[in-house]
Amino acid sequence: MNSNLKNQPSKDGSVAKKDIVILDLIAKDHPGSFEMLIEKYGNLVWSIGKKFLGNQSDLEDAVQEVLIAIWKSAGKFDPSKASEITFVSMIARRRFIDYLRKITKHKSEDSMDDDNNNIHLYKESLLNQETDLALVKSAIDELDEDDQELLNLSVYQGYSHSEISDILNIPLGTVKTRIRRNLMKLKDTFATNKIQSNVIQLNNG
Amino acid sequence: MDRTQEKLNNLLDLLAMRSCQPLSYTEELELNHLLDEFPEYTPDYFEPIAALADSTMFVHDPKNLSSMPESIQKKIIKNFRSQNAESKTLQIFKNIFQTPKLAWAMTCLLAIGTSMSMIEFRNYETNYRNLPVKKALLEITSEDLIEYNWFAQTDEFCDCSGNVMWSDDSQRGFITLAGLPMNDSSKNQYQIWIVDPNMHANPVDGGVFDIVTTESPTIIPINPKLPIGKAKGFAITLEQTGGVVISEQPLILTAPKERPESTYGISQTTI
């Protein structure tokens, strides 16, 4: 896929919304690219941040920092190394984890009122554009149910290893080993699926 | 299980933890130590797959999705626009450098300007003028710019943050710091050290500085007392006023976190 060709702005400066690689546009200083970044990934960043930080005032500041960090890092995005969503969520997770360490606050269980009006569009937008999501979903599905639960608690819900040990009442060492093995397995399966997917794409011209 | 495999498993456990949660100070130290032993692994080894798995879980499970409130979106966009407007000057510089017609003219002006600023740069009194502009200029013009974040070496300074930016070609750089406590300049001063293990047995004095406010991040120019071949790391210590030639004080901040290996076998705890 040549993302550069796909995302050429038209003569009037507008860009077709389908399959937009926002980071390319940001790197090219396209007007309104920050707003497009928020439109496409704002909810994802917000959701990740909410998981890590919970507290609304910290969350607002951190989300703003993360979005600006993504905007500033757009030039480093290399589609041959990672998909756009991986790049965005990787920066977001790393920044939120660092932020969490900085404020040394524990994750809050407080619920927050959400505006869910755009969720459907948001989900569609990401699903349509990111085959990597489907590949990694299939890799997750290949794990045992117990391992999926561990991964869910650790990666998605953001519980620390020692918290998971308490929740599931299993030794900390076992939690560490199983999460490490699951991530290794996920990494390997995803890499294999990715190669197969690329081969299929090449064969289909 | 042999010792090496045990260490590797320990490293992978820590990398898996790092991709999902903040590590404690001890865990960070242990991770850095193990990364030195297994250089084929990077700190972000599991981060791409964890990030992708995270996104997948959000996108495929509608009950987990949260929409950013519109009021916050608007606020972030407003803040971004006002910040962006402040960097217009920087943008003008960038545009000039990207326009071939102006390149020659700007090169001549820059050559004159750089020569003048080199003279000014070595003067302590004028060293602290227009630092954000000088820093931005270095950022734009240097091809070999390296940038590291500061890491506290003790819990006492864990709130410190910032980065160091350096160009070997230009022999200059800047550090940006926030959270470092104010010093009493009549008693002591912070001192910058540049680690260039291939050229200098001991870290090179990069100048002393004071922290006079904790309200906002401070930008400080680096002034190496000896020519630097290839800077591999930076450190900050608190020394007697005026600084020292060789430090015996503990490291406060380092960038990167672990000291680069020295060909001269210098201890890691003191400069």
Side-chain angles (χ1 to χ4, degrees), chain B residues 121 126-138 173-175 218-222:
Chain B
F121 197 81
T126 55
N127 218 359
Y128 286 80
R129 278 188 210 152
N130 307 320
L131 286 177
V133 177
K134 287 178 181 173
K135 189 179 166 210
L137 201 62
L138 181 72
F174 295 90
I175 67 176
T218 309
I219 300 175
I220 299 130
I222 303 171

mmCIF file of all heavy atoms in Angstrom, chain B residues 121 126-138 173-175 218-222:
data_model
loop_
_atom_site.group_PDB
_atom_site.id
_atom_site.type_symbol
_atom_site.label_atom_id
_atom_site.label_comp_id
_atom_site.label_asym_id
_atom_site.label_seq_id
_atom_site.Cartn_x
_atom_site.Cartn_y
_atom_site.Cartn_z
ATOM 1 N N PHE B 121 28.627 32.885 22.419
ATOM 2 C CA PHE B 121 28.326 31.653 23.142
ATOM 3 C C PHE B 121 29.350 31.340 24.218
ATOM 4 O O PHE B 121 29.043 30.774 25.246
ATOM 5 C CB PHE B 121 28.257 30.519 22.099
ATOM 6 C CG PHE B 121 27.564 29.290 22.603
ATOM 7 C CD1 PHE B 121 26.176 29.220 22.604
ATOM 8 C CD2 PHE B 121 28.281 28.205 23.067
ATOM 9 C CE1 PHE B 121 25.527 28.094 23.061
ATOM 10 C CE2 PHE B 121 27.640 27.077 23.516
ATOM 11 C CZ PHE B 121 26.258 27.019 23.517
ATOM 12 N N THR B 126 26.714 36.397 28.405
ATOM 13 C CA THR B 126 25.721 36.431 27.325
ATOM 14 C C THR B 126 25.180 35.041 26.997
ATOM 15 O O THR B 126 24.314 34.891 26.155
ATOM 16 C CB THR B 126 26.352 37.005 26.045
ATOM 17 O OG1 THR B 126 27.499 36.239 25.749
ATOM 18 C CG2 THR B 126 26.686 38.464 26.210
ATOM 19 N N ASN B 127 25.722 34.071 27.702
ATOM 20 C CA ASN B 127 25.371 32.692 27.425
ATOM 21 C C ASN B 127 23.884 32.394 27.628
ATOM 22 O O ASN B 127 23.321 31.516 27.005
ATOM 23 C CB ASN B 127 26.162 31.825 28.406
ATOM 24 C CG ASN B 127 26.631 30.584 27.748
ATOM 25 O OD1 ASN B 127 26.343 30.365 26.579
ATOM 26 N ND2 ASN B 127 27.334 29.760 28.482
ATOM 27 N N TYR B 128 23.276 33.123 28.497
ATOM 28 C CA TYR B 128 21.897 32.830 28.878
ATOM 29 C C TYR B 128 20.879 33.698 28.146
ATOM 30 O O TYR B 128 19.728 33.728 28.501
ATOM 31 C CB TYR B 128 21.753 32.967 30.399
ATOM 32 C CG TYR B 128 22.400 31.806 31.107
ATOM 33 C CD1 TYR B 128 23.781 31.780 31.285
ATOM 34 C CD2 TYR B 128 21.658 30.725 31.542
ATOM 35 C CE1 TYR B 128 24.400 30.702 31.897
ATOM 36 C CE2 TYR B 128 22.272 29.648 32.153
ATOM 37 C CZ TYR B 128 23.631 29.643 32.331
ATOM 38 O OH TYR B 128 24.234 28.565 32.916
ATOM 39 N N ARG B 129 21.331 34.418 27.105
ATOM 40 C CA ARG B 129 20.390 35.225 26.333
ATOM 41 C C ARG B 129 19.732 34.382 25.247
ATOM 42 O O ARG B 129 20.405 33.596 24.597
ATOM 43 C CB ARG B 129 21.128 36.376 25.652
ATOM 44 C CG ARG B 129 21.360 37.552 26.558
ATOM 45 C CD ARG B 129 21.919 38.677 25.708
ATOM 46 N NE ARG B 129 22.777 39.527 26.489
ATOM 47 C CZ ARG B 129 23.776 40.220 25.984
ATOM 48 N NH1 ARG B 129 24.062 40.133 24.701
ATOM 49 N NH2 ARG B 129 24.505 40.989 26.745
ATOM 50 N N ASN B 130 18.470 34.623 25.008
ATOM 51 C CA ASN B 130 17.738 34.023 23.884
ATOM 52 C C ASN B 130 17.910 32.514 23.777
ATOM 53 O O ASN B 130 18.047 31.968 22.688
ATOM 54 C CB ASN B 130 18.176 34.659 22.550
ATOM 55 C CG ASN B 130 18.079 36.157 22.596
ATOM 56 O OD1 ASN B 130 17.123 36.697 23.149
ATOM 57 N ND2 ASN B 130 19.072 36.830 22.052
ATOM 58 N N LEU B 131 17.907 31.841 24.912
ATOM 59 C CA LEU B 131 18.180 30.404 24.874
ATOM 60 C C LEU B 131 17.148 29.599 24.076
ATOM 61 O O LEU B 131 17.546 28.718 23.316
ATOM 62 C CB LEU B 131 18.303 29.857 26.301
ATOM 63 C CG LEU B 131 19.602 30.254 26.984
ATOM 64 C CD1 LEU B 131 19.633 29.740 28.410
ATOM 65 C CD2 LEU B 131 20.797 29.699 26.234
ATOM 66 N N PRO B 132 15.848 29.898 24.197
ATOM 67 C CA PRO B 132 14.895 29.107 23.403
ATOM 68 C C PRO B 132 15.161 29.233 21.906
ATOM 69 O O PRO B 132 15.055 28.262 21.166
ATOM 70 C CB PRO B 132 13.528 29.705 23.776
ATOM 71 C CG PRO B 132 13.746 30.316 25.117
ATOM 72 C CD PRO B 132 15.161 30.811 25.107
ATOM 73 N N VAL B 133 15.554 30.443 21.458
ATOM 74 C CA VAL B 133 15.827 30.644 20.027
ATOM 75 C C VAL B 133 17.085 29.871 19.623
ATOM 76 O O VAL B 133 17.125 29.196 18.598
ATOM 77 C CB VAL B 133 16.006 32.152 19.715
ATOM 78 C CG1 VAL B 133 16.351 32.357 18.250
ATOM 79 C CG2 VAL B 133 14.740 32.901 20.067
ATOM 80 N N LYS B 134 18.130 29.975 20.475
ATOM 81 C CA LYS B 134 19.371 29.255 20.167
ATOM 82 C C LYS B 134 19.120 27.754 20.104
ATOM 83 O O LYS B 134 19.646 27.050 19.249
ATOM 84 C CB LYS B 134 20.421 29.558 21.235
ATOM 85 C CG LYS B 134 21.001 30.954 21.135
ATOM 86 C CD LYS B 134 21.979 31.185 22.259
ATOM 87 C CE LYS B 134 22.571 32.583 22.205
ATOM 88 N NZ LYS B 134 23.389 32.886 23.370
ATOM 89 N N LYS B 135 18.298 27.288 21.037
ATOM 90 C CA LYS B 135 18.002 25.863 21.092
ATOM 91 C C LYS B 135 17.246 25.436 19.826
ATOM 92 O O LYS B 135 17.570 24.424 19.205
ATOM 93 C CB LYS B 135 17.165 25.569 22.338
ATOM 94 C CG LYS B 135 16.974 24.109 22.602
ATOM 95 C CD LYS B 135 16.161 23.889 23.869
ATOM 96 C CE LYS B 135 15.700 22.447 23.921
ATOM 97 N NZ LYS B 135 14.464 22.250 24.598
ATOM 98 N N ALA B 136 16.244 26.264 19.453
ATOM 99 C CA ALA B 136 15.452 25.945 18.255
ATOM 100 C C ALA B 136 16.333 25.957 17.011
ATOM 101 O O ALA B 136 16.200 25.105 16.128
ATOM 102 C CB ALA B 136 14.324 26.959 18.113
ATOM 103 N N LEU B 137 17.260 26.902 16.964
ATOM 104 C CA LEU B 137 18.163 27.013 15.820
ATOM 105 C C LEU B 137 19.047 25.775 15.702
ATOM 106 O O LEU B 137 19.243 25.233 14.616
ATOM 107 C CB LEU B 137 19.035 28.263 16.002
ATOM 108 C CG LEU B 137 19.660 28.835 14.745
ATOM 109 C CD1 LEU B 137 18.589 29.278 13.766
ATOM 110 C CD2 LEU B 137 20.563 30.015 15.094
ATOM 111 N N LEU B 138 19.543 25.329 16.851
ATOM 112 C CA LEU B 138 20.378 24.123 16.855
ATOM 113 C C LEU B 138 19.559 22.927 16.365
ATOM 114 O O LEU B 138 20.035 22.097 15.585
ATOM 115 C CB LEU B 138 20.902 23.865 18.272
ATOM 116 C CG LEU B 138 21.813 22.652 18.436
ATOM 117 C CD1 LEU B 138 23.170 22.901 17.805
ATOM 118 C CD2 LEU B 138 21.992 22.281 19.898
ATOM 119 N N GLY B 173 25.118 22.234 22.845
ATOM 120 C CA GLY B 173 23.867 21.564 23.174
ATOM 121 C C GLY B 173 23.167 22.308 24.289
ATOM 122 O O GLY B 173 23.677 23.313 24.814
ATOM 123 N N PHE B 174 22.012 21.812 24.632
ATOM 124 C CA PHE B 174 21.205 22.442 25.682
ATOM 125 C C PHE B 174 20.572 21.371 26.541
ATOM 126 O O PHE B 174 20.242 20.298 26.041
ATOM 127 C CB PHE B 174 20.091 23.293 25.067
ATOM 128 C CG PHE B 174 20.616 24.458 24.283
ATOM 129 C CD1 PHE B 174 20.898 24.330 22.937
ATOM 130 C CD2 PHE B 174 20.863 25.677 24.903
ATOM 131 C CE1 PHE B 174 21.408 25.390 22.207
ATOM 132 C CE2 PHE B 174 21.364 26.743 24.185
ATOM 133 C CZ PHE B 174 21.645 26.603 22.831
ATOM 134 N N ILE B 175 20.414 21.710 27.805
ATOM 135 C CA ILE B 175 19.633 20.806 28.633
ATOM 136 C C ILE B 175 18.384 21.553 29.089
ATOM 137 O O ILE B 175 18.405 22.770 29.279
ATOM 138 C CB ILE B 175 20.424 20.249 29.833
ATOM 139 C CG1 ILE B 175 20.779 21.323 30.846
ATOM 140 C CG2 ILE B 175 21.681 19.563 29.383
ATOM 141 C CD1 ILE B 175 21.472 20.770 32.063
ATOM 142 N N THR B 218 13.836 24.981 33.057
ATOM 143 C CA THR B 218 14.986 25.838 32.803
ATOM 144 C C THR B 218 15.781 25.285 31.625
ATOM 145 O O THR B 218 15.991 24.072 31.541
ATOM 146 C CB THR B 218 15.911 25.841 34.050
ATOM 147 O OG1 THR B 218 15.092 26.123 35.174
ATOM 148 C CG2 THR B 218 17.017 26.855 33.928
ATOM 149 N N ILE B 219 16.203 26.188 30.738
ATOM 150 C CA ILE B 219 17.077 25.773 29.625
ATOM 151 C C ILE B 219 18.480 26.235 29.947
ATOM 152 O O ILE B 219 18.697 27.391 30.324
ATOM 153 C CB ILE B 219 16.617 26.390 28.284
ATOM 154 C CG1 ILE B 219 15.183 25.949 27.968
ATOM 155 C CG2 ILE B 219 17.539 25.981 27.149
ATOM 156 C CD1 ILE B 219 14.613 26.614 26.725
ATOM 157 N N ILE B 220 19.438 25.315 29.827
ATOM 158 C CA ILE B 220 20.830 25.663 30.146
ATOM 159 C C ILE B 220 21.728 25.215 28.993
ATOM 160 O O ILE B 220 21.603 24.090 28.510
ATOM 161 C CB ILE B 220 21.275 24.944 31.445
ATOM 162 C CG1 ILE B 220 20.384 25.393 32.599
ATOM 163 C CG2 ILE B 220 22.729 25.214 31.771
ATOM 164 C CD1 ILE B 220 19.815 24.287 33.388
ATOM 165 N N PRO B 221 22.610 26.109 28.545
ATOM 166 C CA PRO B 221 23.524 25.710 27.472
ATOM 167 C C PRO B 221 24.649 24.820 28.016
ATOM 168 O O PRO B 221 25.064 24.991 29.160
ATOM 169 C CB PRO B 221 24.086 27.049 26.976
ATOM 170 C CG PRO B 221 23.955 27.972 28.137
ATOM 171 C CD PRO B 221 22.801 27.507 28.967
ATOM 172 N N ILE B 222 25.112 23.923 27.195
ATOM 173 C CA ILE B 222 26.247 23.080 27.587
ATOM 174 C C ILE B 222 27.511 23.705 27.002
ATOM 175 O O ILE B 222 27.561 23.994 25.804
ATOM 176 C CB ILE B 222 26.081 21.639 27.054
ATOM 177 C CG1 ILE B 222 24.770 21.037 27.564
ATOM 178 C CG2 ILE B 222 27.260 20.767 27.449
ATOM 179 C CD1 ILE B 222 24.414 19.708 26.931
#
